[in-house]
Amino acid sequence: MNAPAQFLSPSEAAARLGVSAKALRLYEQRGLVRPLRSVAGWRAYGPNEMARMGEIVALRSLGLTVTQVKGLLTGDGAGLEDALGAHQLRLQDQLGKLAVAVDRVRTIRNENAQGRTITVDDLVPLARSTAEAATAFVLPWPWNGERFELFDIRPVNYIIGSLGSGKTVLAKRLAEIVPNALFLGLDRLEHGQAAALSLLAGDQALKKNVDQALQWLVDDGAETSDALVALLVGIIGTNAEMVVVDMVEEGLDQATQEALAAYFRLASIGKTLFLLTRSSSILDLQSVGLNEAIILCPPNHSVPKRVLPHSGASGYETVQNCLAPPDVRARVAGVIFFKPALINAASN
C-alpha cells in the first residue's frame, strides 16, 4: 500500500487553499514562500509550505497587502491598523444585515404562532443571502423588451460578453435603474484625469483615500498611472453606493490589473461594483469567491444570466472564451471577426 502523498503540485496546492496558481507564483516572487523543487525541477509544496501558505491566505483575507503580509511574517506590523479598521467595518456591516435577517425570521415565526397562513413568498426571501439585493427591469435593445431579474447582487459583480453581446447596454441600464448608482465610462481615460487631479487638489479627504488605495495597489505590484488614478477617483470620489465601470482594465498593465482585482476582492471598498471586463487578469475564474458574481451576456442575445465559476456550469465555457490575458487583449482590441460568406451573401 502506497503512503499518502506529502507534496502537492502548484495546481493541487492552489485548489486546496482556495486560491489560483497565479497567486502562488506572486507569493513566491515576493518572497513570502519558497516551494520545494523535485528532481526534475518542478515546484512542490510540502506540509511546511502549505502551513505557511495557509497563514498567507488567512492574512490576505483580512485585506492586507502582500507587503504587509511579508512584514507580519517577519515581525513588522506596520500598516496593520488601517487593515484591521477596514475589516472591523466589514464585520459590523455583516452584523447589521444579520440582525435584519433575524428580525425577519422572528416576525414570521410570531405571525405563524398567531395563526396567519405563511406562504412561499414569505419564506423564500429567508433562504437568500443577507448580502443580497434585488432588481428587475425590462431590457432594452438587443433583447427586445425581455424582463431581466437579478436577485443576487454581490459586492463585486463581473459583466462578461463578446463583442456585440450588449454588455455595455446592460451595464448602462443597471446604472439607470438601480437607485444611487453611477456609470463610469471610458471617457475617464480622455478627460477624467484632469477632473481627477482637480478633485484631489480640492478634497483632502478624497486625496487621502485615493493615496491609501494607491499604496495598497503599489504594494501588490501595481504601476501608478493616469488611468489608474482616474479609475480610483471615479470609484472612491462618488457618493453613489453602486458603481458600474466600463472595461475596468483599459489603460492598465497586467501587474496593475492583477493587483486591482485583489484590491476589489480583499479591501473594503464600501461600494457595490459592477465591472465590465474581458481580461483574465481582472476576472481569474480560479479565484472567484463568495463575494463575487459573474453575469454573462450570451452572444445569441438571450437574457443575461448568472454563471457559476465552476467548470461544467451552464455558461462557464462561454465566459472562459470571452476572457484573455492583457497581452492578447491588446493585440485583438477593436478587431471584429466576420465570415466572408455572410458578407458576400449580403451583397448579392
Side-chain angles (χ1 to χ4, degrees):
M1 181 175 179
N2 294 329
Q6 295 184 1
F7 300 97
L8 304 176
S9 68
S11 60
E12 292 169 334
R16 184 166 297 186
L17 293 163
V19 299
S20 66
K22 187 186 301 180
L24 298 189
R25 291 194 298 273
L26 171 64
Y27 301 154
E28 179 185 355
Q29 291 167 1
R30 300 295 289 274
L32 274 68
V33 65
R34 181 180 297 176
L36 304 172
R37 293 280 181 169
S38 68
V39 175
W42 299 105
R43 291 176 176 82
Y45 296 85
N48 292 336
E49 290 72 32
M50 289 300 294
R52 171 53 62 93
M53 286 300 305
E55 294 173 346
I56 294 169
V57 171
L59 292 173
R60 288 285 277 170
S61 71
L62 296 176
L64 298 176
T65 67
V66 171
T67 299
Q68 289 171 332
V69 170
K70 186 175 182 180
L72 278 172
L73 293 175
T74 57
D76 180 6
L80 188 57
E81 176 56 33
D82 289 339
L84 289 176
H87 186 61
Q88 180 178 333
L89 289 176
R90 286 195 295 272
L91 292 175
Q92 289 172 339
D93 181 60
Q94 293 171 16
L95 281 174
K97 291 172 180 175
L98 285 171
V100 171
V102 170
D103 284 342
R104 218 179 276 149
V105 173
R106 183 184 295 115
T107 298
I108 291 178
R109 288 187 65 196
N110 288 339
E111 292 175 348
N112 185 55
Q114 293 169 11
R116 184 176 82 81
T117 300
I118 304 301
T119 67
V120 171
D121 289 339
D122 293 321
L123 297 176
V124 168
L126 300 182
R128 295 179 182 147
S129 166
T130 56
E132 288 178 0
T135 186
F137 53 87
V138 173
L139 290 165
W141 178 92
W143 294 282
N144 298 321
E146 293 187 74
R147 183 174 173 81
F148 174 66
E149 297 182 342
L150 186 59
F151 291 106
D152 193 5
I153 298 178
R154 305 291 177 86
V156 181
N157 308 270
Y158 305 97
I159 299 179
I160 308 297
S162 58
L163 291 173
S165 64
K167 60 183 180 296
T168 304
V169 176
L170 174 65
K172 289 182 176 179
R173 189 62 172 157
L174 270 172
E176 291 173 357
I177 292 296
V178 177
N180 201 16
L182 169 74
F183 181 78
L184 187 59
L186 291 177
D187 57 352
R188 67 182 185 271
L189 300 173
E190 300 174 7
H191 54 75
Q193 177 63 13
L197 292 175
S198 176
L199 280 171
L200 290 176
D203 190 332
Q204 291 303 308
L206 174 60
K207 185 177 186 305
K208 178 182 177 182
N209 291 335
V210 171
D211 286 345
Q212 288 177 343
L214 280 172
Q215 185 61 58
W216 199 106
L217 290 162
V218 169
D219 281 350
D220 252 44
E223 291 287 338
T224 301
S225 65
D226 291 350
L228 180 58
V229 172
L231 176 66
L232 291 176
V233 170
I235 294 174
I236 297 173
T238 178
N239 291 324
E241 295 178 359
M242 186 178 101
V243 182
V244 184
V245 184
D246 193 5
M247 302 310 290
V248 65
E249 65 265 24
E250 286 297 311
L252 308 178
D253 62 21
Q254 180 167 342
T256 301
Q257 290 183 34
E258 291 173 356
L260 190 67
Y263 177 71
F264 289 148
R265 182 177 298 113
L266 300 174
S268 180
I269 306 298
K271 301 177 188 297
T272 299
L273 297 177
F274 279 82
L275 308 175
L276 279 78
T277 185
R278 294 189 65 195
S279 170
S280 58
S281 289
I282 293 292
L283 173 52
D284 183 345
L285 291 172
Q286 294 180 337
S287 300
V288 175
L290 295 176
N291 290 327
E292 300 163 87
I294 302 169
I295 302 170
L296 170 66
C297 293
N300 63 358
H301 294 157
S302 58
V303 176
K305 63 180 182 179
R306 278 283 305 278
V307 174
L308 296 177
H310 308 298
S311 179
S314 176
Y316 179 87
E317 289 187 1
T318 303
V319 170
Q320 195 173 41
N321 291 335
C322 287
L323 298 170
D327 58 338
V328 176
R329 294 281 299 116
R331 289 199 300 270
V332 302
V335 175
I336 299 177
F337 296 93
F338 60 89
K339 295 182 178 180
L342 295 179
I343 299 298
N344 293 333
S347 62
N348 290 333

